[in-house]
Amino acid sequence: MDVTVLAEAPPVALTPDWRRLLPPLGIGLLLLGLLFNREVGSAIRTWDDSTAYNHCFLVIPIALYLYWDRRQDLAGIPARAFPPALLLGLPLAAIWLVSERLGIMEGRQLVAISFVEVLFLGVLGKRLWWALAGPLLYLYFLVPFGEFLTPKLQDVTTWFIRHGLDILGIPAYIDGYTIEIPQGAFFVAEACAGLRFLIASVAFGTLYSLLMYRSPMRRGVFMLVSIIVPIIANGFRGIGIVYLGYLLGSAQAAAADHIVYGWLFFSAVILVLIALGLPFRQDQLSTRSGSPVVDTGAPAVTVRGVFAVALGIVVVAALSPAVAAGLSMAAAVPITAPARIEVGSSCLVQPLAPLAGARRERVLCGTVPVDISWVVFSPRSTAGPVMAARRRMVAGALTEGLQEAWLASGQGGPSAWRIMKSSDPAYAIAAAIWIDGRPVRPGLMMRLRLALNSLAGSAYAPMVVTVTPVVDWETRNGLELKAAEDALSRFLLTRPELDQTVGALSAVR
């Protein structure tokens, strides 16, 4: 009997040769991190400070788990350096420069993550990048993006409460985001808008869809559901809190633990999403059965070529920061801030020591004194430092109970003064920004004007001015705090000439 011995085929590598890929990827990521260190630092501070983005600390571990879950899908896919990826960096560099001139940090952070994606594409190649698209694209959740949606979410929540109270037959007076019922008043603050629930739900929905589904259609539908459901659920949460206040006979008692109610409600919503998605789950193993497809004709990955692609992408990424640094050096013109702001001969003015780079003075025109603080910037300054100074100067009001509204002008015209009040701890402040000698409201047009001024210059220096009533916020009772808030509005309304005075002071001499 003849015995035929079949030679055993050599084992097939199930994963790419990461020993060759990790050095250029590691060095490229390190250099991009150093290049975009401000974007990284700003993102981490936001993760730590805002409860809406605390989950961002889990994004990188989740992305690594998603890679581990898909490691068998990488079997036989060759890593081929993709030099054309450098061309993708050119429009990204332009977008970064526009975002930097407009002072939009989220835009800069999105570009930074996009350069990370381009780096992986250039080093791994198209096929391997596409196989890892799920874990790689999940890295976009590192960007604390979406805060601009807060006013719209407040509108949606208020709309739900208005119509819900109508259906329940509860009498209510609604003015803006303030809801008054016979048992008390509620305010749909930024913390109640549901942004934190929405962002966390989208991050969870994306993870769930990547783990449970293989079809792009099913993934897209579930991600869409994870956006719609928390918005609707937060509206019902708002109705529930107001209705609970109606039943308890006290708005304050119902709103005391609204954050706890919110997280309990959000947990229930997540469970509902899981239950809705499970019946449509796709078997993960069915797509991984069989022998891996091996591309035996793939050329070997040369370390020198991959390093060249990685460093080329970093060089392209450095173009815009280099241009921005040159523009910033040209804008570094020393500006002398005015020594005082005139508010009328009938007021007593006391100069105060500068604080955190802002000049200050104390003004007494009535029964409640106010502190006026102001910061002056270079005529070629962008919106970034201007808005950063504004946030720093109003930091005392940036709490969970923040309430904001534009000052109602006594002459019927638009006012650029933003009144910001915090309930816990109690605090009130008014802030305004002057551009080109006129008070303006923050927004895209203001950022665009500053961006143009940063290139062409201006005869006026941007200024940020704040006015704060001087009271002991911790020991005053509710009536005294209300009197202080009224004194703040009255001070601004009775001095319409203040806008022209600050505008004249901002002229470059």
Side-chain angles (χ1 to χ4, degrees):
M1 179 183 296
D2 294 335
V3 178
T4 303
V5 179
L6 298 177
E8 186 175 330
V12 177
L14 295 181
T15 58
D17 187 2
W18 290 111
R19 290 173 298 178
R20 294 190 177 191
L21 299 177
L22 286 179
L25 282 176
I27 293 177
L29 290 174
L30 176 62
L31 292 177
L32 287 177
L34 294 174
L35 184 63
F36 298 118
N37 65 89
R38 292 186 179 179
E39 289 79 0
V40 174
S42 176
I44 294 176
R45 286 191 296 271
T46 303
W47 303 348
D48 187 53
D49 295 340
S50 175
T51 55
Y53 301 103
N54 290 157
H55 66 277
C56 291
F57 287 105
L58 301 175
V59 169
I60 292 179
I62 288 174
L64 292 175
Y65 172 78
L66 290 173
Y67 158 72
W68 180 257
D69 184 63
R70 283 157 172 71
R71 64 190 185 281
Q72 298 298 329
D73 291 343
L74 309 180
I77 301 179
R80 295 179 177 175
F82 186 59
L86 276 73
L87 299 178
L88 297 177
L90 296 177
L92 290 177
I95 294 173
W96 186 95
L97 184 60
V98 172
S99 299
E100 191 273 339
R101 291 291 94 183
L102 292 176
I104 303 176
M105 177 55 73
E106 293 88 346
R108 295 168 55 176
Q109 292 166 340
L110 286 171
V111 170
I113 289 295
S114 297
F115 269 111
V116 171
E117 303 289 344
V118 171
L119 174 66
F120 275 94
L121 175 61
V123 171
L124 303 181
K126 292 185 293 183
R127 289 187 59 194
L128 188 52
W129 185 92
W130 183 251
L132 288 170
L136 290 175
L137 294 178
Y138 199 82
L139 295 176
Y140 275 103
F141 284 109
L142 291 170
V143 178
F145 185 77
E147 191 172 355
F148 66 94
L149 295 172
T150 298
K152 294 298 182 182
L153 294 175
Q154 287 175 283
D155 293 337
V156 172
T157 303
T158 305
W159 182 88
F160 267 92
I161 295 175
R162 175 185 291 109
H163 291 279
L165 295 180
D166 288 341
I167 295 173
L168 294 171
I170 299 175
Y173 171 75
I174 300 178
D175 181 19
Y177 300 138
T178 301
I179 297 97
E180 295 186 21
I181 62 175
Q183 289 72 24
F186 296 83
F187 183 80
V188 183
E190 293 185 359
C192 304
L195 178 65
R196 70 186 73 184
F197 303 143
L198 174 61
I199 294 177
S201 175
V202 174
F204 170 80
T206 303
L207 173 62
Y208 189 87
S209 64
L210 289 173
L211 292 175
M212 293 296 180
Y213 308 123
R214 305 291 287 182
S215 166
M217 177 64 70
R218 296 193 186 192
R219 287 176 175 174
V221 169
F222 190 84
M223 290 170 63
L224 181 62
V225 171
S226 69
I227 295 174
I228 296 174
V229 168
I231 295 176
I232 297 175
N234 191 68
F236 281 105
R237 180 180 76 98
I239 297 173
I241 291 175
V242 177
Y243 185 63
L244 184 60
Y246 173 76
L247 295 178
L248 296 176
S250 171
Q252 186 175 4
D257 296 321
H258 70 285
I259 299 298
V260 176
Y261 303 151
W263 280 115
L264 291 176
F265 197 69
F266 175 72
S267 300
V269 170
I270 292 297
L271 291 177
V272 170
L273 285 175
I274 293 174
L276 290 175
L278 277 177
F280 305 98
R281 179 177 182 268
Q282 292 175 306
D283 188 359
Q284 301 290 307
L285 297 177
S286 63
T287 60
R288 296 176 182 171
S289 59
S291 301
V293 178
V294 182
D295 187 352
T296 56
V301 179
T302 62
V303 176
R304 181 177 300 179
V306 175
F307 264 109
V309 172
L311 293 179
I313 292 171
V314 173
V315 170
V316 173
L319 294 178
S320 289
V323 174
L327 294 174
S328 299
M329 291 180 61
V333 180
I335 298 295
T336 302
R340 60 177 297 177
I341 294 179
E342 298 290 343
V343 293
S345 58
S346 61
C347 301
L348 298 177
V349 180
Q350 175 189 357
L352 299 176
L355 180 65
R359 286 186 174 271
R360 302 186 301 152
E361 64 185 20
R362 181 159 298 174
V363 179
L364 178 60
C365 302
T367 57
V368 179
V370 297
D371 281 353
I372 302 178
S373 303
W374 62 95
V375 178
V376 183
F377 301 87
S378 164
R380 291 181 178 268
S381 178
T382 61
V386 174
M387 296 305 295
R390 182 182 182 273
R391 287 191 296 270
R392 184 173 62 251
M393 296 168 72
V394 302
L398 301 180
T399 67
E400 294 284 354
L402 174 65
Q403 302 180 28
E404 294 185 80
W406 295 108
L407 176 68
S409 175
Q411 300 176 349
S415 170
W417 286 99
R418 186 70 165 173
I419 306 295
M420 309 174 70
K421 298 186 294 184
S422 171
S423 56
D424 186 20
Y427 191 72
I429 191 170
I433 299 175
W434 271 257
I435 306 295
D436 293 334
R438 297 187 300 274
V440 299
R441 294 187 179 187
L444 184 58
M445 292 305 300
M446 183 211 76
R447 294 176 180 272
L448 182 59
R449 288 170 62 180
L450 285 173
L452 295 176
N453 289 345
S454 71
L455 301 176
S458 174
Y460 295 89
M463 286 185 65
V464 178
V465 182
T466 62
V467 180
T468 314
V470 182
V471 295
D472 188 346
W473 296 102
E474 296 183 357
T475 60
R476 299 288 178 173
N477 59 39
L479 292 177
E480 291 173 319
L481 295 178
K482 183 64 167 58
E485 295 170 3
D486 293 341
L488 173 62
S489 299
R490 187 165 55 253
F491 174 84
L492 297 173
L493 289 174
T494 55
R495 283 160 183 82
E497 72 279 1
L498 187 60
D499 290 355
Q500 289 74 26
T501 300
V502 176
L505 291 173
S506 67
V508 178
R509 297 173 175 80

